[in-house]
Amino acid sequence: MIDYLSLKKVTAMHHDEIMEAVARVVDSGWYLQGGANAQFEKEYAAYIGSRYCVGCANGLDALTLIFRAYKEMGVLHEGDEVIVPANTYIASILSITENGLKPVLVEPWVSTLQINETLIEEAITDRTRALLLVHLYGRNAWTPGIQDLCDRWHLKLVEDNAQAQGCCNSKFKIQNSKLAGAEGGGTPCGDSQFTIHNSQLADAEDFSIPCEDSPYTIHHSQVAGAGDDSVKTSKDAAASHNAQPAEDSILQCNHNSQFSIFNYKIPRSGSLGSAAAHSFYPGKNLGAMGDAGAVTTDDEELARVVRALGNYGSTEKYVFPYLGRNSRLDEIQAAVLSVKLKYLDEDNLRRKQIAHYYYANINHPDIYLPGKMEWEIASPMTDNADCRDEDCVYHIFPVLSSHRDQLQQHLREHGIGTMIHYPIPPHQQQCYHEWHSLSLPVTEHIHQSELSIPCNQTMTDAEVEDVCRCVNSFQL
């Protein structure tokens, strides 16, 4: 039997460390708003690349608190519109309606299952104030086009990062910047493009891009001026001493971790917009031992208001400037998350390896693999498969089939667990009956044909191969 996801196996990978962390909290006698919370918030903010992290009870609360805080700050008002992908999990939309805001549903791309950026602008009205960008299935939904729309229309970009902890944004661009002497951390590499516009990498005595087992170095390099050229960190590029002048320089790396361009950091999902909500539900890539969540942001006032709202509306003990709620991350969950955070990149790498094997080996005329096109485009860019799809951490590996139910039964008969994410789209749920007349054919097609197959860090190579064989052997 191959489970869709065995939480027992996930916990077993770091069982002793988790038990030690839990014991420390239990022995401390301090179970709320203590040292474990402070430590995790600091670690997670640094990992994501945001200035602030505020723990809360769950992912839905994190989203709801962001919108509520913006209302308290006067940024949003009752009846304002928030654009959101139509095929998202219902929590994204619940957070909007709970705050008296109006969701505006936009269809996704079938190829990636992410919001279709070409449809966003036509959904904008004079009441639109925000875009809720959902990184569904663990894939980065941010694009330069979406950022441009938000900038031009002065929209708050809020991220629902519940499914994408650790996902990088290798589509990020640095414009008109001189990177020499820049401050910050490492830069995630990836299969997509990291582009530097009109930049100077000047006076670099030793410009290093560390990659696993192969430290590629470009000496005395200057990437500046006109023209168009690419620098790829291959062994041939490593031998080069002088990069050609380039207006747009694309740097590729053979490792999915981080490389440093004068310590400039390309952000992860969760730090791409004004604020982001995170869920640490046990089944997430970074999962707690129960419900848990967090808000990340660079906005000091927003972080302060979110923290107060989640603590009954209190800014100091027995002082309540806001009508708040009780939404706090408990110390045991924070301690567990600090342990598991250390292994998140490693776990995500294993998920990517499995996904890449699926892309390469699942071949069935009745089964479509969203994301495969991006993977195939990335393939020639590097000879190291681990570097492809840096913009996805494969929280879920979806396949689409018009014979979804029969495929699920076939896999069940062969001992393979699956799930459906999600059988009923939000606009067809009874709680949103006012939307039942909406026609959203792409969303409806996805929800009628999506099936999630196992893809997690506990799987063995043999299990991955079995899944492929069984999927390919499906017959009507």
Side-chain angles (χ1 to χ4, degrees), residues 161-172:
N161 200 50
Q163 299 184 4
Q165 300 97 338
C167 187
C168 295
N169 182 28
S170 57
K171 293 171 283 190
F172 180 73

Side-chain angles (χ1 to χ4, degrees), residues 4 10 31 77 101 117 250 269 339 349 413 420:
Y4 174 74
V10 171
Y31 308 131
H77 301 87
L101 305 171
E117 69 178 82
I250 302 172
S269 62
V339 171
L349 176 57
E413 290 172 355
I420 298 173

Side-chain angles (χ1 to χ4, degrees), residues 21 24-25 28 30-46 52-58 280 291-295 307 310-311 326-339 341:
R24 283 196 299 270
V25 173
S28 75
W30 194 293
Y31 308 131
L32 280 172
Q33 298 180 300
N37 256 267
Q39 178 181 341
F40 175 70
E41 289 179 348
K42 180 179 179 181
E43 292 169 346
Y44 195 62
Y52 304 102
C53 173
V54 181
C56 62
N58 53 68
F280 306 120
D291 273 322
V295 171
R307 190 178 296 280
N311 188 33
N326 180 8
S327 180
R328 298 177 297 202
L329 177 62
D330 74 65
E331 288 286 282
I332 287 178
Q333 302 305 338
V336 170
L337 290 168
S338 282
V339 171
L341 180 60

Side-chain angles (χ1 to χ4, degrees), residues 1 36 123 160 185 235 255 336 378 466 469:
M1 176 69 185
D160 183 340
K235 292 181 179 179
H255 179 43
V336 170
D466 283 345
R469 280 194 295 268

Side-chain angles (χ1 to χ4, degrees), residues 65-77 99 301 304-306 309 321-324:
L65 289 169
I66 289 171
F67 289 121
R68 173 67 188 286
Y70 277 135
K71 290 182 70 177
E72 294 288 350
M73 294 163 62
V75 175
L76 297 178
H77 301 87
N99 279 289
E301 183 183 4
R304 179 186 63 80
V305 177
V306 166
L309 287 170
Y322 309 107
L323 296 173

